[in-house]
Amino acid sequence: MATPSFESSRARAMWRTCLASALRTALACTIVGVATLFGPQYIKKQVAFPAFSYVTVILVVTDATLGDTFRGCWLALYATIQGVCLAILSLWLIGPARLTAGTTAIAVALSAFVVVLPENTHLIAKRIALGQIVLVYVIAYINGGQTETIMHPVHVAASTGLGVVACVLALIFPYPCVACCEVKTLDFSCMVKQNCKLFAENASERFNLFVKAFTAEDNSCALAFISQAKSLVKTGSKLLQGIKTKQESMKWERFPFKFLRPYGENPGSRFEDVQTPLRGMEIALDNSPSFPVEILNSDQKSVLHMLGDHIPKQVNNISLESSATVPESNQENTQKFFQTLQPTKKDLPSLFFLFCLNLLLNKPITNSPSSTNPKQQNQQGLFQNYLSITKSNKRFMAAFKCSLSLGLAIYFGSIYSKDNGFWAGLPVAISLAGSREATFKVANVKAQGTVLGTIYGILGCFVFEKYVQIRFLSLLPWFIVSSFLRQSTMYGQAGGLSAIIGALLILGRKGFGLPSEFAIARITETFIGLSCSIIVEILLQPTRATTLAKLQLSKSFEILNESISSISFGSIGNLVESQNKLKSHIIEMGKFIAEAEAEPNFWFVPFHSVCYRKLMGSLTKMLEYLHFGSQAFMLLEQESGGSIDNFVHKLDGDIKLFKDFVGSSMKCFEEVSLVKSLEILDKEFEKRKLSVDVELGTSQSSSYCNIIRYASEEEIDENLRSYFEHSKEFVDQIVNGEELKGQVVLSLSALGFCMDGLVKETKEIEKAIKEVVQWENPSSHVNLNDISCKVRALANIIVAN
């Protein structure tokens, strides 16, 4: 089997990546250390804050390529304009001698608000600017009238500049670490090329395993191949994400390295066209009732294996050296393979597998934005306006929270210890988050990382007590350890960076007294800063992640209902637009679920993470079914031309039952998921019962209305039979060739498979929603239809009144 060798190569690549990142970081810090300890007196005088030079190194060079570092130079310059230049004007107006703990905190808070508020400023630039603001104002407060209004901020800027220069040198020597090519020295490989190679191996291995499972002669062999393929899925997703994240870096590398221009395009989007069909093939195999599949004869199996030899070559050709177009597949083999297919219900999973294989052989179709009608464009405009207002409010609140946290940290840190007050604000400044975080979890890992790094720094000072000038060399092992901490689930980026900075500020410092005393002071100040951040988050962000996850779940059901309503011939543009909205909401819901799992329960009902993960999994599958269904719609329109128009009303009629069942269920789930307490709902319902009875035209509480359009298995099977009868009629009337018939059969079968999959996942969601509602209301009987009916009836009465 090739799987163990691939996993071992993946493990070696991870080791090389972490080790290379640690060595580059160590080299940059060594450059800073040599310059500040052994450099000319002029440099020592200008770089008055070497600790911040180290911080700049960590912010810019961590897991960076040369392109990232070039971008970091520009961001540092932009941050200096925001942080230092404006601070010079402020110090000149206020006067350092008149600064107090209160005025310093206010000045820092106002400056931080100005820095964080703009939307398009990069997070690294904001962090550097905030760190500079803390140093400029707090050091000016500490030194009072002795502070030079212009030269003091200039020294902060010079310290930042040294860190950036060290980053560039560390990424150039001993050889450039660029994202878009592979340079092997000491067995360290650069990122995108290596990840492309690993992803191509991963995708080829998965495809071969899927084909082996599809052609297996018994269930045990098929399940073994499927299990092996699934073990590679997570790794493939990580590799693809790693390729995509370096897209911006590759743009920055084009200008200074024009000889690398053939490698200048990031293949992430092309690899996405491979990843999605592979996921579809996995779904098809998961839904196959038994093996061997009946649809394949011996000739077709041989053709499938021939295609199986072609696909890995096609995937391997999608690399940085190749052009943006995928090589044409063997058309003759494809035609032979698809000629004898017929749409049947029992072969749905097998036909869907072949449909996804066809997507691999041919580039998926994308819907043109120009196909949207004026009404849809108007709706999109309204939606964009709503998003713009929402983003503006979020941006303002994020800036206000950051400025308040930083101001309070500086104020209380300075009250506790005037000389060390900036250590309370600096961790808050350089750990600014780009989005909402799990407050308690992040604060916890930051505190743990700071303590670990500080203790390591104290031990390093003890070991190198007699060699003070070279003790920063002891940081190399810690950089390696911290690289793995950043990759771990327990500490993540926040904890890993805190651990690095904690050790750096002990071993790379000068003029802060005894290491143990400085360590205790810094840990205390860090605790003050983190406490201020937590308090501000609780006060200004009182909505728990659990509540936000519920709201996002309800919104996802609403958008899914819109998507289901858009399923019909002639309205593909609406379906694609709804898919994009649904995808963004599901991603957002996943973030809230992760945060809710990490937040403490206090006196609230514990978060039912298992059930929410099930719901998210089902919603993700439904999104995938919608995607493949839209591909089938577009392929049908492309392949059949106008010949499908005579059958549109028949096929749409067959699809309507699926739409009614899934759509009505989504509407019910949308309403039920927002109910906080069934007891309160029942009391409110009893209070307004007379009005409700009049509204609904009945007095029987058990049958107020029927929200969910329940469909039995027999009804669904009968509808599928009707759909395939009409599909067969449509296929039989095609006279343009067997190849076209085969393509149309695949598209019609894929559409039927997706409709059936949507129904199955709707039933799974219903079970999970019942479980969630029962979890939150353990003493109540749960009937989703009755709950939804009561919610709707009460809403109608409130609106009427």
Side-chain angles (χ1 to χ4, degrees), residues 94 99-113 137 403 406-408 410-411:
I94 299 172
L99 286 175
T100 63
T103 56
T104 302
I106 293 172
V108 169
L110 292 176
S111 301
F113 183 84
Y137 286 106
S403 62
L406 205 51
L408 290 176
I410 294 298
Y411 179 72

Side-chain angles (χ1 to χ4, degrees), residues 501-550:
I501 293 173
L504 263 175
L505 296 181
I506 297 292
L507 293 169
R509 70 188 178 83
K510 61 178 182 179
F512 288 116
L514 293 175
S516 58
E517 294 178 358
F518 171 70
I520 293 173
R522 186 172 177 272
I523 290 174
T524 305
E525 294 286 354
T526 300
F527 176 79
I528 292 173
L530 293 178
S531 299
C532 292
S533 296
I534 293 174
I535 292 171
V536 170
E537 286 289 331
I538 293 174
L539 293 177
L540 297 183
Q541 189 173 281
T543 306
R544 301 178 69 235
T546 302
T547 304
L548 293 175
K550 286 173 68 73

Side-chain angles (χ1 to χ4, degrees), residues 757-790:
L758 287 171
V759 171
K760 290 178 180 177
E761 290 305 321
T762 299
K763 294 179 179 179
E764 293 299 316
I765 288 177
E766 183 177 357
K767 295 176 186 176
I769 286 288
K770 280 184 179 179
E771 189 175 343
V772 169
V773 176
Q774 192 69 71
W775 174 273
E776 296 173 348
N777 303 271
S779 60
S780 301
H781 173 69
V782 175
N783 184 306
L784 299 185
N785 194 70
D786 284 352
I787 296 170
S788 180
C789 178
K790 291 175 182 178

Side-chain angles (χ1 to χ4, degrees), residues 61-206:
V61 84
T62 303
D63 296 332
T65 61
L66 190 57
D68 296 323
T69 309
F70 286 146
R71 181 184 60 182
C73 293
W74 161 248
L75 295 176
L77 176 61
Y78 182 71
T80 302
I81 294 173
Q82 282 189 308
V84 172
C85 295
L86 294 178
I88 292 175
L89 179 61
S90 300
L91 285 180
W92 180 73
L93 291 174
I94 299 172
R98 289 197 293 269
L99 286 175
T100 63
T103 56
T104 302
I106 293 172
V108 169
L110 292 176
S111 301
F113 183 84
V114 172
V115 167
V116 178
L117 185 60
E119 180 182 12
N120 296 325
T121 304
H122 196 279
L123 188 61
I124 291 178
K126 290 181 179 180
R127 288 174 173 174
I128 293 175
L130 291 175
Q132 290 175 338
I133 288 169
V134 169
L135 288 179
V136 168
Y137 286 106
V138 180
I139 298 297
Y141 163 60
I142 293 172
N143 294 333
Q146 299 178 358
T147 304
E148 299 180 23
T149 304
I150 296 178
M151 292 309 299
H152 166 56
V154 168
H155 291 160
V156 175
S159 302
T160 306
L162 176 62
V164 172
V165 170
C167 292
V168 174
L169 294 176
L171 269 296
I172 291 177
F173 298 105
Y175 58 88
C177 179
V178 292
C180 53
C181 74
E182 182 180 44
V183 184
K184 289 191 175 180
T185 304
L186 299 177
D187 203 32
F188 301 137
S189 302
C190 287
M191 299 182 182
V192 173
K193 179 72 178 287
Q194 179 69 9
N195 282 346
C196 287
K197 179 181 176 183
L198 290 172
F199 180 83
E201 293 176 1
N202 178 282
S204 301
E205 181 69 15
R206 277 188 286 158

Side-chain angles (χ1 to χ4, degrees), residues 204-239:
S204 301
E205 181 69 15
R206 277 188 286 158
F207 176 80
N208 287 328
L209 289 169
F210 286 147
V211 171
K212 288 178 182 178
F214 190 62
T215 57
E217 295 298 330
D218 55 70
N219 285 339
S220 60
C221 289
L223 292 176
F225 288 130
I226 294 171
S227 177
Q228 290 179 31
K230 285 186 175 182
S231 68
L232 300 174
V233 171
K234 188 174 181 181
T235 301
S237 299
K238 286 183 177 180
L239 289 169

Side-chain angles (χ1 to χ4, degrees), residues 245 256 317 319 381 403 462 516 547 636 682:
T245 54
N317 282 333
S319 64
S403 62
F462 174 76
S516 58
T547 304
L636 279 172
D682 290 337

